[in-house]
């Protein structure tokens, strides 16, 4: 009797113990899943046959909810991924990390890490965990930096090469030719000014990027700024035989802004309007309250120039982007003007809109928030 009683007690203990262990395992699984769901990187757990057993929320958002229970290769169509998982599942390696580019509509680069899961955790089943971090923006930034350095070097080298050429000619063949000397010195001055303008623009850009998060504090009158810019550009408009027409609405509200930076914005837009227009045409500047948004001003610069092919419009504010490099350079341009405009406007919580018709002309519109009145 006594021994039978003990047997019953022991069986109950064992059952209770098992139930407790099972509850603990379920709790652990839930906790791990909650932690994985809180991560921004995509995480999959695969079994020995490379079937996806779990995908965290980031993985389901990126690769689709149906990814779970699917074959790894059909979700991530890359042989390298399959091979890495195979090596880890066969225990050839504990962890494999690699960089993977998936050719989606837009190619995406991932840093992928495959790690074998401890058998203790998986009930002796072979399982691997895969994390996929989207690093496309890092690779793009690296490429932009490389392109930028290459562009700066090229833009600085061209006037330098030209200057060295003139110096050599002045030391040799043109040594005693006063007419050639005069002409070459003019060209050399032009090259030196070009380099100085380029360095000035680059410094402007890096200063602007550093201060982008701090919005300007002063209140400025755009009417005054626009009139000053138009007056300063008169010599260029006379040479180009272009007339500048300025319309400013009565009682134009003040804006919060930096007067020097806004001057730079309109100087570049109006100068572009003049430079890229046909001779004898008008560049029309209009400053008024934006009819479609309260508390916003619209300042548009309209030219009757060659217009811009739509494919170029989204790229115009990139540094050094010029539709016709040779032509812009001949006109003394560095291709940094609109990049500077973009950064100034970001700082002003403002934006630029470009409208253009090939052969007819373009309208560059700036939308600026109005200063609050007390
Ligand atoms: N109003 C316009 N009409 C036609 N093309 C334009 C106009 N404004 C700009 N562009 C094109 O956009 C390019 C970039 O303009 P951006 O002002 O950045 O550089 P840039 O005028 O060439 O040189 P910079 O302003 O540095 O002296 C120009 O080279 C030109 O091809
Ligand atoms: Mg310009």
């Amino acid at each position: 009797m006594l021994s039978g009683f003990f047997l019953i007690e022991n069986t109950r203990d064992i059952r209770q113990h098992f139930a407790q262990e099972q509850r603990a395992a379920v709790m652990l699984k839930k906790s791990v899943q909650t932690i994985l769901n809180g991560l921004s990187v995509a995480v999959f757990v695969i079994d020995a046959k490379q079937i996806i057993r779990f995908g965290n929320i980031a993985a389901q958002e990126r690769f689709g909810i149906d990814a779970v229970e699917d074959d790894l290769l059909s979700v991530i169509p890359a042989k390298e991924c399959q091979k890495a998982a195979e090596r880890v599942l066969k225990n050839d390696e504990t962890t494999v990390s690699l960089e993977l580019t998936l050719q989606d509509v837009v190619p995406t680069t991932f840093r992928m890490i495959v790690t074998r899961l401890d058998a203790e955790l998986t009930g002796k089943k072979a399982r691997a965990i895969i994390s996929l971090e989207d690093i496309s923006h890092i690779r793009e930034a690296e490429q932009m930096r490389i392109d930028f350095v290459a562009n700066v070097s090229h833009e600085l080298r061209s006037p330098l090469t030209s200057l060295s050429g003139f110096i050599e000619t002045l030391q040799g063949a043109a040594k005693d030719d006063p007419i050639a000397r005069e002409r070459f010195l003019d060209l050399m001055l032009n090259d030196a000014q070009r380099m100085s303008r380029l360095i000035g623009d680059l410094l402007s850009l890096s200063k602007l990027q550093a201060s982008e998060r701090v919005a300007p504090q002063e209140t400025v009158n755009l009417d005054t700024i626009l009139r000053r810019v138009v007056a300063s550009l008169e010599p260029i408009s006379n040479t180009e035989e272009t007339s500048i027409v300025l319309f400013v609405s009565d009682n134009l509200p003040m804006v919060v802004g930096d007067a020097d930076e806004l001057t730079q914005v309109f100087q570049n837009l109006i100068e572009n309007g003049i430079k890229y227009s046909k001779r004898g045409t008008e560049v029309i500047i209009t400053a008024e309250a934006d009819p479609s948004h309260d508390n916003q001003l619209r300042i548009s610069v309209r030219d009757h120039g060659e217009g811009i092919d739509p494919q170029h419009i989204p790229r115009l504010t990139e540094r050094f982007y010029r539709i016709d490099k040779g032509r812009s350079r001949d006109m003394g341009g560095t291709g940094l003007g609109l990049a500077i405009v973009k950064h100034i406007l970001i700082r002003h919580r403002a934006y630029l809109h470009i409208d253009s018709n090939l052969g007819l002309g373009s309208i560059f519109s700036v939308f600026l928030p109005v200063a609050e009145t007390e």
Side-chain angles (χ1 to χ4, degrees):
M1 261 316 269
L2 204 62
S3 64
F5 175 73
F6 274 126
L7 185 68
I8 292 168
E9 274 294 283
N10 279 343
T11 320
R12 195 187 292 152
D13 274 358
I14 291 166
R15 251 195 269 124
Q16 267 179 358
H17 177 71
F18 262 127
Q20 261 173 5
E21 275 209 336
Q22 250 174 347
R23 268 202 302 275
V26 171
M27 287 291 288
L28 178 67
K29 194 173 167 186
K30 273 195 176 160
S31 310
V32 171
Q33 288 185 352
T34 312
I35 294 169
L36 293 180
N37 280 335
L39 300 179
S40 60
V41 289
V43 178
F44 286 124
V45 174
I46 53 164
D47 67 12
K49 290 186 175 154
Q50 299 204 9
I51 303 294
I52 295 173
R53 292 309 195 136
F54 170 79
N56 70 347
I57 292 176
Q60 292 183 22
E61 278 172 3
R62 177 63 185 75
F63 297 95
I65 291 186
D66 309 340
V68 180
E69 299 304 326
D70 228 344
D71 177 46
L72 178 67
L73 189 62
S74 62
V75 177
I76 304 170
K79 286 270 180 217
E80 334 64 299
C81 170
Q82 191 192 27
K83 280 191 190 136
E86 208 173 281
R87 289 214 308 274
V88 169
L89 285 165
K90 275 194 192 154
N91 228 352
D92 290 346
E93 274 169 278
T94 324
T95 300
V96 175
S97 60
L98 56 117
E99 200 168 303
L100 190 77
T101 301
L102 294 184
Q103 300 299 332
D104 274 351
V105 185
V106 181
T108 314
T109 306
F110 292 98
R111 183 182 293 131
M112 179 179 136
I113 301 175
V114 191
T115 311
R116 194 180 162 80
L117 278 177
D118 197 329
E120 292 270 310
L121 284 174
T122 60
K124 310 266 183 277
K125 292 175 195 149
R127 293 273 195 271
I129 186 161
I130 301 177
S131 69
L132 292 135
E133 183 189 0
D134 186 344
I135 54 163
S136 314
H137 56 289
I138 300 175
R139 293 289 167 268
E140 273 164 24
E142 271 169 16
Q143 193 53 48
M144 272 169 73
R145 190 185 56 78
I146 292 167
D147 292 349
F148 178 69
V149 172
N151 270 323
V152 172
S153 318
H154 175 78
E155 293 297 327
L156 283 173
R157 200 180 301 125
S158 336
L160 257 183
T161 312
S162 154
L163 271 174
S164 311
F166 287 131
I167 293 169
E168 272 168 30
T169 318
L170 284 173
Q171 283 173 331
K175 202 171 175 184
D176 303 313
D177 181 345
I179 298 170
R181 195 167 55 219
E182 219 34 50
R183 201 164 62 83
F184 288 166
L185 283 173
D186 269 351
L187 293 168
M188 286 166 76
L189 182 64
N190 208 28
D191 281 328
Q193 283 170 340
R194 200 179 138 60
M195 281 177 70
S196 151
R197 215 171 23 241
L198 176 65
I199 291 163
D201 281 354
L202 286 171
L203 284 174
S204 237
L205 258 179
S206 78
K207 260 197 247 155
L208 276 169
Q209 276 179 305
S211 65
E212 220 162 61
R213 283 183 188 80
V214 191
Q217 302 291 325
E218 310 138 49
T219 310
V220 293
N221 183 339
L222 272 184
D223 191 356
T224 318
I225 292 178
L226 288 169
R227 282 181 205 289
R228 279 199 197 132
V229 172
V230 169
S232 73
L233 288 173
E234 229 150 62
I236 306 177
S237 67
N238 287 342
T239 324
E240 296 288 325
E241 292 168 20
T242 312
S243 34
I244 312 177
V245 185
L246 176 63
F247 293 113
V248 179
S249 288
D250 290 339
N251 305 320
L252 193 73
M254 304 282 269
V255 293
V256 177
D258 180 301
D260 288 342
E261 290 181 6
L262 290 177
T263 302
Q264 235 178 322
V265 166
F266 295 110
Q267 219 153 23
N268 184 60
L269 295 182
I270 302 170
E271 194 183 317
N272 280 354
I274 300 168
K275 276 198 305 193
Y276 303 110
S277 294
K278 301 178 192 104
R279 277 175 187 264
T281 55
E282 281 181 339
V283 172
I284 304 165
I285 304 138
T286 318
E288 61 196 341
D290 180 2
S292 45
H293 277 279
D294 288 342
N295 303 327
Q296 193 163 275
L297 296 190
R298 180 177 67 187
I299 303 95
S300 44
V301 180
R302 173 198 286 262
D303 66 62
H304 298 88
E306 63 217 46
I308 303 161
D309 193 320
Q311 60 163 322
H312 295 295
I313 292 182
R315 301 199 57 190
L316 289 185
T317 54
E318 283 176 25
R319 297 159 186 200
F320 297 113
Y321 192 85
R322 284 162 289 187
I323 299 169
D324 183 341
K325 274 202 173 187
R327 200 180 141 209
S328 155
R329 206 175 291 142
D330 289 346
M331 288 197 252
T334 58
L336 290 173
L338 287 176
I340 293 175
V341 166
K342 179 178 97 176
H343 286 286
I344 293 177
L345 294 184
I346 291 176
R347 193 174 166 235
H348 282 74
R349 315 298 185 251
Y351 61 96
L352 177 72
H353 180 81
I354 307 170
D355 243 332
S356 191
N357 270 315
L358 259 184
L360 295 175
S362 314
I363 308 173
F364 283 71
S365 306
V366 171
F367 295 86
L368 270 165
V370 166
E372 280 176 22
T373 44
E374 275 136 48

